[in-house]
Amino acid sequence: MRVFLTIVFGLIGVILLAGGIYLITLGGSPFIGFSGAALLVTAAFVLHRSDLSRWIYAGFLILLAAWSLWESGYDWWALASRMGMFLILGLLLLLPFGARRRPGWTALAAVTVITGVGLLGSLATDPHDIKGALPDQIANADPDMGPPGGPQDWLAYGRTNFGQRFSPLDQITAQNVASLETAWTYQTGDLKQPEDTDETTYQATPIKVGNTLYLCTPHNWLVALDADTGAERWVYKADISPLSQRQHQTCRGVSYWPGDGGAAPAGPAAVLPADTDHPATPAVAADATPDVQCDTRLFMPTSDAHLLAIDPTTGALCPEFGDNGSLNLIHNMPFRQAGFYYSTSPPVIVGTTLVIGGAVNDNYDVNAPSGVIRAYDVRDGRLLWNWDSGNPDATAPFVVNDPTQVYTPSSPNSWAPLSADPGLGLVYVPMGNRTPDQLGMFRNEAEETYASSVVALDVATGQARWVQQFVHHDLWDMDTPAQPTLLDLDMPQGRVPALVVPTKQGDVYVLNRETGEPILPITERPAPQGTVPEDFAAPTQPVSALSFEPEPLTESKMWGATLVDQMLCRIQFRQLRYEGRYTPPSLQGTIVYPGNFGVFNWGGIAVDPRRQVMFGMPLQLAFTSRLVPAAEAEGATNSGEQGLNSNTGAPYAVEMGPFLSPIGVPCQQPPWGFVAGADLRTGEIAWKHRNGTTMDMTPLPIPLPLGMPGIGGPVVTGSGVVFLAAAVDNYLRAYDLTTGAELWRGRLPAGGQATPMTYLDSQGRQVVVLVAGGHGSIGTDLGDYVLAWRLPAGTGGN
């Protein structure tokens, strides 16, 4: 035992002393090196069977506890990473190693017990928790929830084009939600293929029309299910070949057009040009009948850059739309690299106008397809207008067969779902950045104006009515990632039409959706300066009065399973450039915090338009980015958004990824994920709680409540019950909107990185549905499940 203890204490001591000295040279805490020295001295006395080893170690534990409390406060997860390993070593040191129990043994035992009990006591506190309650008064008993449909349906991605993710259904309440049981389960059969990109993900939210659910799968199968039983009605399978050059293989949803309703007749049929690189999508429709009606339609974008019109009744293509039911979205593109352009989000439909954006691969090539936003006639596929943020005034539709008419290369795109207000005649477009994301020297004046913003486009003409930018000269991939949410707010000056936009940087902007003017104040904050010589950083950046921006990182916020890997994270922190939010990209490497994953992402928020409050899932997870001179980046694989991306044609490539310790856990201390509620009229964050456990992310299924990252969105119901999966453990959870308390959780067979929805079935029963298929880039369990829950008979579920 004596030799064993000597080796253990000596080895850990050498590692901490060597690393600690290096950390000191970087300007870091000297306590790490001191810890190593204390362990080496202890090891020397253990080797000589001296009781001084226990006295010395007892004194070290006292200093360790004081230092840990000074750095992190009374926070279990922060304290455990600093003290846990040393308390275990203290227990080992109490074992006999050739000496009788002496006063040093008693002193060490007392210090170890007292320190350990004090550490355990921190489990009862959570310094990151905000306890409170949202107002439960009804501010507007009859709010505008947006067309189309009634409360029993879910006719668009966010239930309506307002993107509220709110259903007035109230059968499932805080009192009976614990009685939810599985109603049915369906498996699509669409699974990740070996040739697929890493980020092959199930992100779809089904829509419900009549008594049929419609959803898409990652490889663009459109599935129709009976809303009562989950029985398959038909499946349309677009023939999408795997392609690793796509950064994403996913489909978030489909759109529904309810028919003409007396609208003007369609014009001449649209014929798009032949494209040898992107031929018309071949497809099969299982269980389809030849009786194609298409008086109503479903629209599905595909990952090979097509838009398909499909008959909801039969699952067959609508032959009068485009080229036999398919539009090739590559038309008029300046560059046509396979897999560089596609649409992952459903289009928005206003009347007979369909508006669609698209995703452009980040950081692969300076010369990439355009991020143009386009409007088509839902009946025949005619191009009605095109709004290209690189050339924003030229909205008259291009001639699709004219090779001289091309959109701006690589211009800022919109990959998230759009929303619309038909009454104002506006479509709201959450804008991304021009690729390359971390290099701004290629952008023109218009792109600088419209990147990383929300833009209100006129439905009839495509002209921009107003723009509100959220990041100036974006060098951090801070795309506006989520569907804007529309609701009316009752403010002191009266009822105001509002637009709520969550952002990756954590700000939630509350704007007048008619004018773009702020409802909650926006201020400008000085930003860090200095990047590569060819570029610049904006001197200030906007900040919203409602913000979930995390506190800046410090060395003391570094984390690890032990002080050894925490030391390595501290070293990384000191080696990288970090001056707070918007620290510019650099050759040495920069910490991006909030990171590229975002405080909010495509899951967005959900609101209660009657109470005028929001529910969200803010994250705080740091990333790193490093600019790499092009000559040093030859052979970059462009395997996805993480890793080394080539930026072909630019002077620098970029290497990106999460800020992780050597054992693959975040370098910053938890929590990393929350649920939160805020009052949209005042900007007050009423409550915020950790969300998610380690249940499915470690070899042992231990549900440690660290507060985990995730991706997906919530849905709020009329009873004040909120449903959200999204976290990296496999659960669908129900929460109380007022307090954020967790009310129920249901186990999932795969990762639930999608947004749920709810509806009434034909028997008048409220059903909650979630797609669970996992998320390739965050490592959750993959699958192909569609799951439904409802209350048993006699508990309020009819």
Side-chain angles (χ1 to χ4, degrees):
M1 178 60 74
R2 175 174 60 87
V3 175
F4 170 74
L5 289 176
T6 300
I7 294 172
V8 170
F9 276 75
L11 181 60
I12 297 175
V14 167
I15 294 171
L16 289 176
L17 180 60
I21 291 172
Y22 181 55
L23 182 60
I24 291 171
T25 67
L26 297 173
S29 170
F31 193 83
I32 308 290
F34 169 77
S35 300
L39 262 64
L40 286 173
V41 172
T42 301
F45 283 106
V46 167
L47 183 63
H48 292 88
R49 295 189 175 88
S50 172
D51 196 38
L52 279 174
S53 61
R54 289 163 175 154
W55 281 106
I56 292 168
Y57 199 74
F60 165 69
L61 285 182
I62 293 171
L63 293 174
L64 173 69
W67 172 75
S68 299
L69 286 167
W70 173 73
E71 273 215 329
S72 63
Y74 204 43
D75 181 350
W76 160 260
W77 296 108
L79 291 173
S81 73
R82 290 163 170 80
M83 300 173 61
M85 176 181 72
F86 295 110
L87 288 173
I88 292 171
L89 292 176
L91 292 174
L92 290 175
L93 199 54
L94 291 171
L95 298 175
F97 54 84
R100 296 191 307 273
R101 293 185 179 180
R102 296 175 180 174
W105 188 96
T106 304
L108 177 58
V111 170
T112 302
V113 170
I114 293 170
T115 305
V117 170
L119 175 61
L120 290 173
S122 65
L123 283 168
T125 68
D126 188 350
H128 306 279
D129 193 70
I130 300 174
K131 289 183 171 63
L134 288 168
D136 57 7
Q137 297 87 2
I138 300 298
N140 184 356
D142 187 25
D144 189 352
M145 300 182 196
Q152 73 278 5
D153 287 325
W154 192 284
L155 296 181
Y157 176 77
R159 200 179 81 85
T160 73
N161 286 341
F162 275 24
Q164 294 175 348
R165 279 165 287 282
F166 172 80
S167 169
L169 300 180
D170 58 5
Q171 287 182 11
I172 301 171
T173 67
Q175 291 71 40
N176 64 25
V177 66
S179 300
L180 280 178
E181 58 186 24
T182 301
W184 50 261
T185 300
Y186 172 82
Q187 290 185 259
T188 68
D190 184 7
L191 297 169
K192 182 177 180 180
Q193 302 302 307
E195 301 86 0
D196 280 333
T197 183
D198 287 342
E199 192 162 312
T200 298
T201 61
Y202 265 85
Q203 299 178 5
T205 298
I207 63 172
K208 174 184 177 279
V209 182
N211 205 46
T212 303
L213 294 179
Y214 301 99
L215 66 136
C216 56
T217 70
H219 294 94
N220 302 118
W221 301 1
L222 204 165
V223 181
L225 303 176
D226 185 287
D228 286 356
T229 66
E232 181 182 298
R233 295 191 189 276
W234 52 259
V235 178
Y236 172 93
K237 296 182 180 181
D239 186 11
I240 306 297
S241 301
L243 183 63
S244 61
Q245 277 290 85
R246 295 185 194 112
Q247 286 183 330
H248 307 274
Q249 185 74 50
T250 195
C251 181
R252 295 190 183 94
V254 298
S255 301
Y256 172 68
W257 177 57
D260 272 309
V271 180
L272 294 183
D275 187 339
T276 56
D277 294 327
H278 294 74
T281 305
V284 297
D287 302 327
T289 70
D291 184 19
V292 181
Q293 300 173 22
C294 287
D295 50 351
T296 64
R297 291 178 187 175
L298 300 168
F299 290 91
M300 179 175 66
T302 71
S303 54
D304 68 347
H306 286 75
L307 176 65
L308 307 181
I310 297 171
D311 178 35
T313 303
T314 65
L317 288 171
C318 296
E320 64 272 25
F321 179 83
D323 183 8
N324 196 35
S326 175
L327 274 179
N328 191 330
L329 297 175
I330 294 297
H331 72 81
N332 299 99
M333 284 295 181
F335 295 95
R336 304 185 177 196
Q337 303 98 321
F340 275 40
Y341 180 86
Y342 42 89
S343 187
T344 57
S345 295
V348 66
I349 299 172
V350 181
T352 57
T353 299
L354 178 151
V355 184
I356 188 168
V360 177
N361 279 357
D362 291 335
N363 304 319
Y364 279 20
D365 200 315
V366 169
N367 295 316
S370 174
V372 62
I373 312 300
R374 289 172 287 192
Y376 298 94
D377 190 301
V378 295
R379 298 159 298 183
D380 56 26
R382 282 179 301 126
L383 180 64
L384 302 176
W385 51 259
N386 29 238
W387 183 78
D388 178 1
S389 56
N391 184 22
D393 295 328
T395 60
F398 281 14
V399 177
V400 297
N401 292 296
D402 184 353
T404 67
Q405 288 191 305
V406 293
Y407 302 122
T408 307
S410 310
S411 56
N413 63 329
S414 182
W415 53 265
L418 315 181
S419 51
D421 185 336
L424 293 176
L426 294 177
V427 170
Y428 301 97
V429 182
M431 292 298 295
N433 204 354
R434 176 180 175 136
T435 188
D437 287 309
Q438 287 75 25
L439 300 173
M441 68 279 290
F442 301 101
R443 303 168 190 172
N444 66 32
E445 183 178 352
E447 291 166 340
E448 292 279 31
T449 299
Y450 292 106
S452 305
S453 69
V454 65
V455 182
L457 298 181
D458 188 297
V459 173
T461 66
Q463 287 288 328
R465 292 257 198 99
W466 56 259
V467 58
Q468 183 64 247
Q469 189 169 66
F470 307 134
V471 187
H472 307 318
H473 195 66
D474 183 0
L475 301 175
W476 304 272
D477 188 24
M478 292 298 170
D479 299 342
T480 307
Q483 181 182 33
T485 296
L486 284 61
L487 78 162
D488 296 335
L489 294 179
D490 287 278
M491 305 298 289
Q493 67 270 31
R495 186 163 291 168
V496 182
L499 184 77
V500 184
V501 189
T503 63
K504 283 187 177 182
Q505 55 271 32
D507 295 323
V508 178
Y509 290 87
V510 183
L511 310 173
N512 184 311
R513 67 175 181 267
E514 186 172 7
T515 66
E517 294 297 316
I519 296 174
L520 295 181
I522 300 173
T523 56
E524 292 283 333
R525 180 193 299 172
Q529 295 295 288
T531 182
V532 290
E534 300 91 337
D535 210 346
F536 69 95
T540 65
Q541 292 290 355
V543 179
S544 174
L546 174 53
S547 183
F548 294 87
E549 176 189 8
E551 293 182 359
L553 292 177
T554 61
E555 185 195 322
S556 63
K557 289 184 172 66
M558 295 301 100
W559 196 66
T562 68
L563 197 62
V564 173
D565 50 314
Q566 184 183 128
M567 173 189 70
L568 297 175
C569 284
R570 287 172 180 257
I571 289 171
Q572 288 186 69
F573 178 81
R574 291 292 181 178
Q575 289 173 329
L576 294 165
R577 183 181 177 190
Y578 179 68
E579 299 157 32
R581 188 163 85 161
Y582 300 124
T583 302
S586 62
L587 294 172
Q588 77 181 78
T590 291
I591 294 176
V592 181
Y593 186 63
N596 304 62
F597 214 53
V599 177
F600 297 100
N601 209 290
W602 55 261
I605 62 170
V607 303
D608 184 331
R610 303 170 310 174
R611 294 167 60 181
Q612 300 176 11
V613 298
M614 62 155 278
F615 179 103
M617 186 186 68
L619 309 181
Q620 47 187 54
L621 197 63
F623 271 58
T624 65
S625 70
R626 183 174 67 91
L627 298 180
V628 181
E632 300 175 19
E634 292 185 12
T637 57
N638 290 341
S639 59
E641 289 187 301
Q642 298 178 24
L644 181 62
N645 288 338
S646 64
N647 285 342
T648 300
Y652 303 95
V654 63
E655 187 174 27
M656 298 181 298
F659 185 25
L660 301 179
S661 76
I663 62 173
V665 299
C667 267
Q668 67 192 92
Q669 66 191 30
W672 307 301
F674 299 88
V675 288
D679 187 331
L680 292 171
R681 290 178 291 174
T682 65
E684 177 189 1
I685 298 173
W687 55 261
K688 188 170 76 169
H689 311 309
R690 294 175 190 256
N691 185 57
T693 71
T694 60
M695 180 70 180
D696 298 292
M697 298 302 288
T698 58
L700 297 175
I702 302 174
L704 300 176
L706 270 70
M708 301 297 286
I711 192 165
V715 54
V716 172
T717 66
S719 63
V721 174
V722 183
F723 291 96
L724 171 74
V728 292
D729 55 358
N730 297 341
Y731 291 102
L732 172 67
R733 291 178 167 89
Y735 306 83
D736 185 312
L737 174 62
T738 301
T739 66
E742 184 178 317
L743 304 171
W744 168 84
R745 67 176 68 173
R747 189 73 173 144
L748 303 174
Q753 284 67 57
T755 301
M757 50 84 75
T758 186
Y759 60 88
L760 288 183
D761 68 12
S762 69
Q763 307 303 307
R765 301 169 296 187
Q766 185 179 353
V767 183
V768 177
V769 169
L770 175 73
V771 171
H775 195 287
S777 66
I778 62 174
T780 52
D781 295 329
L782 301 182
D784 62 341
Y785 296 89
V786 186
L787 303 112
W789 293 263
R790 62 177 171 240
L791 295 170
T795 57
N798 288 352

